[in-house]
Amino acid sequence: MHMHDLQPSAPVTPGKEPFDAIVVGSGAAGGMAAFQLAQAGIKVLLLEAGRMLDPQKEYKTMEWPYKDLRRHRLPVGEFALQAAEYRTLDRPYGLTPEMQKYKKVMAYSGNHFTKDWIVNEKEHPITGTPYAWVRARVLGGKTNLWGRVSLRFSDLDLKAKSHDGFGEDWPISYADISPYYDTVDTLLGITGTKEGIPHLPDGLFQRPLKLNCGEVQVQRAIAKMGRKLIAGRAGVTTDGVLNNKYRARCMGRGRCGRGCDLNAAFHSPAALIFPARDTGNLVVRTDSVVSEVLVDDRTNKATGVRVIDKNTKEVMDFRGRIVILAASCLESTRLLLNSKSATRANGTANSSGVVGHYFCEHVMGPGASGILPSRVGTAPTNDDGRPQSTYIVRFRNVTDKHPDFIRGYGFQGASGAAEFPANAAETPGFGAAFKKTVRANYPARVNYGGFGEVLARKENRVFLDPEVKDAWGIPVLKFDYTFSDNEKKMAADMADTAEEMLRAAGATDIVVRRNILTEGWSIHEMGTARMGTDPKTSVTNSFGQTHDIRNLFVVDGSIFVSASCQNPTWMIMALCWRAMDYVKEQMRTGNL
C-alpha cells in the first residue's frame, strides 16, 4: 500500500457534464455501489458527508493504554451517552441542560478510538421517542467500527409471512440472493465453518476461528438441548483476498473494533473505495452533506443532488444520470422525505406514503454471564486475538411455535480471556483477595447476549421534525418508535434461555440480564423504504429502484422488508451487488 494512494482528491465542483452515477454515502452499500459501477467503466461521483480517512494513521489496532495519557478515556469536554441517559434525558440529547458543559456529545459507541468518527449530537440532533442512533461521518462510515458479524438471511427470514402470517414476504427468495452472497464472500473474505443449517445458510468460508475450551464446553452442553453453538462468522479475511493491495490477512491480534490496521476486517475504504478509485472512474468528494435529491417534475427523473459543503456551507448542485442513495437506512430516508416539491409534498419516491414507516432493527440487552469452574485457575488464552466470538443459532419458531411470540433470536458471546478481565466488574470485594479472584476467574468467564428480530410494524416510524434542524439547516428526524409486546416477550425468553444454557454447561455465579437496552442499541436500522412488488405498499422494487422515479435507487438497509435476527451488513452488500448488476444492464440497454 502506498500512502499517495490514500490522499484525498481536490474537492470537485459541479461541471458542465453530469456524472453517469451519483452515489450518496460511502459505507457498506455506498462502497459496494461505487466499486461495482467504477469497475464497469461507469463514471461515478461518491459523496460522503464526513471527512477523508487515512486507515494507517487512524486505525489504532495495537495501541496499549499506557500510550495515551488518559488511558483511552475521552478528552475533557467530550462525552458519550450511557444507557440510562437515553431514557432519562430529553431530546435532543446534546442540547439538554445536563449536556451543556460538554463541547461534544456522542452516541454510546463514542470512545478514544471512534471519537473522531462519531457525530456530535449537538450538531446532529434528533427528537421524539428515545433512540440510540449511532452515526459515523467519515469515509467508510460505520464499516470502520462495525462488529464484523456476517450471517446470511434464509427463506425462513425472506418468507417469514408465509411462515407465521405477520407482515410481508420479501419479493425475492434465497435462491435469488445466494449467488450474490457467494460473490461478496469471495471478493471480501469471510471466516466461518460449514454447518448445513437450513435457516443459517453456509457461505464460501476462509479459515475458521477456533473455539476455546469454555466454548466447547457450552457447545456440548447445549447440543443435548438441540441447540447449536458455532464458530463466529466474520467479515474478515483469514486467508487473504486476491487483487486488493490495501488488505492483508488476519494475524489474530484482536481489538478489531478500533479499525483493523491490516484491513483484514472489511472496511469500505480499503476493500471497495480505494480499489474503485484506482480504476480512474471514481471521484470521491468528502465533507459533502447532501440535503436533497433534485427531481425534474416534468420528466419525473432525478437530475442530481444538492450538496452543502460541510466546512464552508457553500451550496452546490451536482448532476447525474442516475442517483443512488446509500447514506444508511435513516439518512437515506431523511433525504427522501426532505426532497419535496409542489407535486411531491410528502417527499420523493413516497407516493405510497410508506417512506419512514415499518422501521425495524434488533432488540438487545437480555443475556447471561457466569463462571465455568473447570477453567478457573487455568492459564489465560489469547481470546482477544480472534476477530469474532461464537454464535448460538436461532432455535425459536423454526420448526416449532412458541406460545408467546413469533420470529426468533440468536446469541453472540464467548468464553475466555479478553484484554480487559470483564469478570472484574462482577466480582465483589477489594484488595488482594479481589485481585486473586479476578485473576483466577479471568479465563473462566462465559457471556452470551441475544439479538432478536423487531417486527416491521407500520406504526413504528420516523418523520421530519417541523421545527428542529441540524447544523446545516436540514430538518432532523423525529422518532415515533417503541418495542412491542412481541419483542418484550421475546426478550424475556432470551434471558431465560441464556440462563438455562449456562446452567446446562455447569456455570456458576450466573448473572442474568433481563433489561432491554434502548431502542437503536443494535445499530441495525432497517425497513423505512422497503422493497416490494406493489407501488402502493412499498418504495422500491427488489433492485432498489424506486417505483416512482426509475433513475433513483436506494440500496442500504432501508429497503429491507423485515429484520430477521441475523446481522444485516452482508445482506446489504449482496443486495447492492445484485442491484448494480441490474443498473449496469439497464444502462447498457438504454433503459437508464
Side-chain angles (χ1 to χ4, degrees):
M1 175 164 51
H2 304 288
M3 288 304 299
H4 69 270
D5 292 323
L6 309 182
Q7 298 307 308
S9 305
V12 64
T13 55
K16 293 181 179 178
E17 293 298 319
F19 287 90
D20 292 334
I22 295 176
V23 177
V24 181
S26 65
M32 182 59 78
F35 179 85
Q36 292 299 328
L37 298 182
Q39 290 282 337
I42 295 167
K43 299 296 184 183
V44 181
L45 172 64
L46 177 68
L47 297 169
E48 163 56 47
R51 61 177 174 78
M52 180 57 73
L53 170 138
D54 185 339
Q56 285 194 325
K57 292 181 179 176
E58 298 194 43
Y59 292 168
K60 299 175 182 176
T61 318
M62 300 300 291
E63 182 177 287
W64 290 100
Y66 57 76
K67 288 290 186 182
D68 175 62
L69 291 176
R70 293 186 57 78
R71 298 295 192 268
H72 293 170
R73 296 183 182 90
L74 285 171
V76 174
E78 297 188 9
F79 184 77
L81 292 164
Q82 305 299 302
E85 286 156 338
Y86 281 106
R87 296 287 185 199
T88 57
L89 293 179
D90 290 333
R91 274 70 63 195
Y93 296 113
L95 303 181
T96 57
E98 295 87 341
M99 295 294 118
Q100 291 306 303
K101 58 186 173 185
Y102 301 110
K103 288 184 179 179
K104 183 173 184 179
V105 176
M106 290 168 276
Y108 73 90
S109 57
N111 58 44
H112 171 75
F113 303 101
T114 64
K115 64 184 178 64
D116 294 329
W117 306 336
I118 302 292
V119 304
N120 188 351
E121 299 275 336
K122 292 177 182 286
E123 297 177 331
H124 301 266
I126 61 170
T127 61
T129 51
Y131 195 82
W133 188 12
V134 175
R135 290 162 283 177
R137 286 200 170 184
V138 65
L139 191 75
K142 288 176 286 190
T143 68
N144 295 301
L145 55 117
W146 73 305
R148 304 165 300 286
V149 177
S150 303
L151 306 170
R152 293 190 178 201
F153 283 35
S154 72
D155 278 333
L156 182 63
D157 309 300
L158 301 174
K159 303 299 177 185
K161 180 185 179 183
S162 298
H163 188 70
D164 59 31
F166 180 86
E168 295 291 339
D169 285 338
W170 291 53
I172 58 171
S173 66
Y174 182 68
D176 296 310
I177 199 64
S178 175
Y180 290 95
Y181 272 128
D182 289 349
T183 54
V184 172
D185 288 352
T186 302
L187 176 70
L188 301 179
I190 180 172
T191 172
T193 50
K194 288 192 178 296
E195 302 287 346
I197 303 168
H199 60 286
L200 189 67
D202 292 329
L204 304 181
F205 297 125
Q206 298 188 356
R207 175 178 57 83
L209 311 174
K210 290 184 178 178
L211 307 188
N212 60 35
C213 293
E215 291 156 355
V216 171
Q217 187 172 331
V218 178
Q219 182 187 50
R220 290 173 177 170
I222 70 170
K224 298 173 184 173
M225 307 163 74
R227 300 173 188 174
K228 293 211 67 164
L229 184 152
I230 64 174
R233 294 178 175 179
V236 175
T237 175
T238 49
D239 292 332
V241 291
L242 298 173
N243 303 320
N244 189 315
K245 65 183 179 182
Y246 301 101
R247 303 183 68 197
R249 69 178 177 84
C250 177
M251 299 295 179
R253 304 169 305 157
R255 305 182 191 92
C256 319
R258 304 173 181 179
C260 174
D261 55 10
L262 296 176
N263 284 301
F266 162 72
H267 304 309
S268 179
L272 298 169
I273 296 172
F274 297 150
R277 197 168 63 178
D278 290 344
T279 67
N281 296 320
L282 175 66
V283 174
V284 179
R285 194 185 198 284
T286 53
D287 300 312
S288 301
V289 180
V290 178
S291 62
E292 63 179 295
V293 178
L294 302 173
V295 178
D296 185 337
D297 286 325
R298 295 169 302 172
T299 60
N300 197 38
K301 286 186 176 179
T303 58
V305 297
R306 180 153 295 160
V307 168
I308 304 171
D309 188 280
K310 186 185 76 171
N311 302 312
T312 66
K313 297 196 175 179
E314 180 184 1
V315 177
M316 295 164 276
D317 290 349
F318 285 92
R319 294 186 299 140
R321 295 188 173 90
I322 64 171
V323 174
I324 299 167
L325 301 186
S328 80
C329 171
L330 294 178
E331 288 289 16
S332 290
T333 299
R334 183 162 74 131
L335 259 175
L336 291 175
L337 293 172
N338 198 46
S339 304
K340 299 179 180 178
S341 73
T343 58
R344 293 175 282 109
N346 294 326
T348 290
N350 195 23
S351 62
S352 63
V354 167
V355 174
H357 291 271
Y358 299 103
F359 185 22
C360 53
E361 54 154 342
H362 295 145
V363 59
M364 288 179 64
S369 63
I371 299 295
L372 295 171
S374 63
R375 305 303 305 155
V376 173
T378 59
T381 48
N382 180 23
D383 298 304
D384 239 359
R386 300 180 300 176
Q388 189 46 249
S389 54
T390 63
Y391 189 68
I392 296 176
V393 182
R394 172 182 170 181
F395 49 84
R396 288 296 195 222
N397 296 317
V398 178
T399 57
D400 59 348
K401 184 176 180 180
H402 196 280
D404 295 336
F405 59 88
I406 59 173
R407 308 297 163 89
Y409 57 84
F411 283 101
Q412 296 174 29
S415 179
E419 179 183 18
F420 180 78
N423 65 308
E426 300 166 355
T427 302
F430 58 90
F434 168 78
K435 293 177 183 176
K436 184 178 179 182
T437 303
V438 169
R439 288 194 183 99
N441 290 343
Y442 185 27
R445 188 173 188 265
V446 59
N447 177 57
Y448 282 93
F451 283 68
E453 176 173 349
V454 175
L455 297 179
R457 297 182 292 129
K458 188 173 184 180
E459 59 267 35
N460 269 341
R461 62 173 184 147
V462 293
F463 54 100
L464 295 182
D465 190 299
E467 298 177 353
V468 181
K469 296 181 179 179
D470 67 13
W472 295 268
I474 304 170
V476 306
L477 285 182
K478 189 167 188 173
F479 288 74
D480 182 9
Y481 175 80
T482 56
F483 294 138
S484 70
D485 284 347
N486 196 73
E487 285 88 51
K488 293 172 184 174
K489 290 176 180 175
M490 179 189 291
D493 192 61
M494 280 183 200
D496 290 343
T497 58
E499 180 181 10
E500 177 185 51
M501 290 188 287
L502 292 197
R503 291 203 183 285
T508 62
D509 303 290
I510 294 174
V511 176
V512 181
R513 301 183 300 275
R514 296 193 174 276
N515 291 336
I516 297 175
L517 287 163
T518 306
E519 290 85 346
W521 207 269
S522 68
I523 326 181
H524 293 164
E525 304 95 17
M526 293 168 266
T528 44
R530 68 179 189 177
M531 64 168 71
T533 56
D534 185 352
K536 294 179 180 177
T537 60
S538 60
V539 179
T540 79
N541 64 18
S542 71
F543 299 103
Q545 184 179 33
T546 61
H547 293 305
D548 292 358
I549 300 173
R550 61 180 295 106
N551 69 333
L552 174 62
F553 289 75
V554 187
V555 294
D556 50 36
S558 60
I559 62 174
F560 282 35
V561 178
S562 55
S564 171
C565 65
Q566 273 90 275
N567 301 46
T569 303
W570 230 241
M571 182 60 159
I572 288 172
M573 289 194 285
L575 283 173
C576 184
W577 193 321
R578 181 174 180 268
M580 293 306 102
D581 274 0
Y582 173 82
V583 166
K584 287 181 279 186
E585 180 62 16
Q586 293 294 302
M587 293 180 81
R588 186 187 69 80
T589 56
N591 291 324
L592 279 176

